[in-house]
Amino acid sequence: MSARDRSGSISLSPRNIIPVCSQLSPSQVSVIRRSWRHINTKGLITVLTRCFSRLESNCPIASQCFQSATYSLSTNPCGVRTVADHAKYLLQLLDKIIEGDVDSEFLREIGANHVGLQRDTGFSSLEWDRFQEIMVEVILKQDGVKQSKEATRAWRLLICSFIELIRDGFDAQVRQFRRKHSFNAHVQYFENIEKRVGVCPNRKISLNVDPRTPRNDVRKYSQY
């Protein structure tokens, strides 16, 4: 089918849609794909590396994450740890996003896989927001993008949309972990109480004594 219907407007075929950014119009999708073919050269890996390097230099927590090099994305069997690893992974991810081969749930899963960083280093939504700002700034300066206002608007929408989905998956996993941790803490608290009561049977019996029954071993104050 033609990209345009008989009236001259762009049709809403699957090829004119990027699933992770429904705000994009068909014309904006077309602009992104044209500009992607222009900027997706051997030098693009250096551009994406610059994004992560700037995040590392601007955010101490992100720097700690990269320097530890102990964390990997479970979505990538080869492991994604260093700045260079992340740049290569992002390049592959962008290619799939622009082709429409990635859905929102996949991006949320990527974010969820970073929850270990929150526990170990305090990594939070602030780092996601900062990376989003850096990536928008870097990509919008590329030849093939900066010359067109429509291209800059479209790329800004796309970058903000897919990083927000990743961040949403991260935030949801953090909340789930905190709820689970809080529940386990309460369970542990009551288990500890039961253990203490178990090693003090007299105390356990006393809890069932009728408070109206006088105790012979308790002296009245008047006896002192």
Side-chain angles (χ1 to χ4, degrees):
M1 293 180 63
S2 172
R4 296 179 179 272
D5 60 22
R6 292 181 180 179
S7 64
S9 62
I10 297 178
S11 62
L12 294 176
S13 69
R15 292 299 305 164
N16 293 326
I17 297 173
I18 295 180
V20 300
C21 189
S22 59
Q23 308 96 306
L24 292 171
S25 67
S27 63
Q28 288 176 318
V29 172
S30 180
V31 166
I32 285 177
R33 286 175 175 158
R34 284 200 306 269
S35 59
W36 177 247
R37 288 192 294 270
H38 182 83
I39 67 176
N40 189 14
T41 62
K42 291 182 179 179
L44 185 58
I45 188 67
T46 303
V47 172
L48 298 180
T49 300
R50 190 182 309 141
C51 294
F52 289 105
S53 296
R54 285 182 55 181
L55 179 68
E56 183 180 23
S57 62
N58 293 341
C59 300
I61 290 178
S63 177
Q64 182 181 352
C65 295
F66 286 125
Q67 289 176 6
S68 64
T70 58
Y71 182 73
S72 62
L73 295 177
S74 62
T75 52
N76 187 347
C78 297
V80 180
R81 299 179 178 86
T82 65
V83 167
D85 293 338
H86 279 78
K88 292 177 183 177
Y89 186 85
L90 181 57
L91 178 59
Q92 297 170 0
L93 181 62
L94 279 172
D95 197 50
K96 292 180 181 179
I97 287 174
I98 293 169
E99 286 300 315
D101 296 333
V102 171
D103 59 15
S104 301
E105 192 57 36
F106 183 81
L107 294 180
R108 291 191 181 97
E109 183 180 351
I110 291 176
N113 288 332
H114 285 78
V115 71
L117 296 178
Q118 196 279 331
R119 297 193 301 266
D120 297 339
T121 66
F123 188 89
S124 70
S125 296
L126 295 176
E127 281 68 44
W128 290 116
D129 293 341
R130 182 57 184 140
F131 182 73
Q132 177 179 289
E133 295 171 0
I134 292 172
M135 188 171 179
V136 166
E137 182 181 347
V138 170
I139 294 297
L140 265 54
K141 289 181 178 179
Q142 300 307 302
D143 290 335
V145 177
K146 65 181 181 180
Q147 292 89 346
S148 167
K149 290 183 179 180
E150 186 177 14
T152 56
R153 285 194 296 265
W155 272 101
R156 186 186 299 274
L157 276 173
L158 178 61
I159 294 170
C160 291
S161 180
F162 88 78
I163 292 183
E164 283 174 4
L165 286 169
I166 294 175
R167 185 187 61 196
D168 288 347
F170 172 81
D171 289 340
Q173 193 69 14
V174 169
R175 289 193 297 270
Q176 181 178 343
F177 172 79
R178 287 174 177 170
R179 286 195 298 268
K180 182 178 180 180
H181 181 74
S182 176
F183 174 78
N184 290 341
H186 280 83
V187 170
Q188 186 63 46
Y189 172 77
F190 288 109
E191 286 180 351
N192 290 339
I193 290 179
E194 291 178 356
K195 290 178 181 178
R196 289 197 297 269
V197 171
V199 298
C200 302
N202 294 333
R203 176 60 179 167
K204 185 175 181 180
I205 295 173
S206 67
L207 293 175
N208 298 323
V209 174
D210 189 342
R212 295 170 297 179
T213 304
R215 293 176 55 185
N216 296 329
D217 59 339
V218 177
R219 297 182 180 181
K220 296 181 179 181
Y221 288 108
S222 59
Q223 294 177 348
Y224 288 93

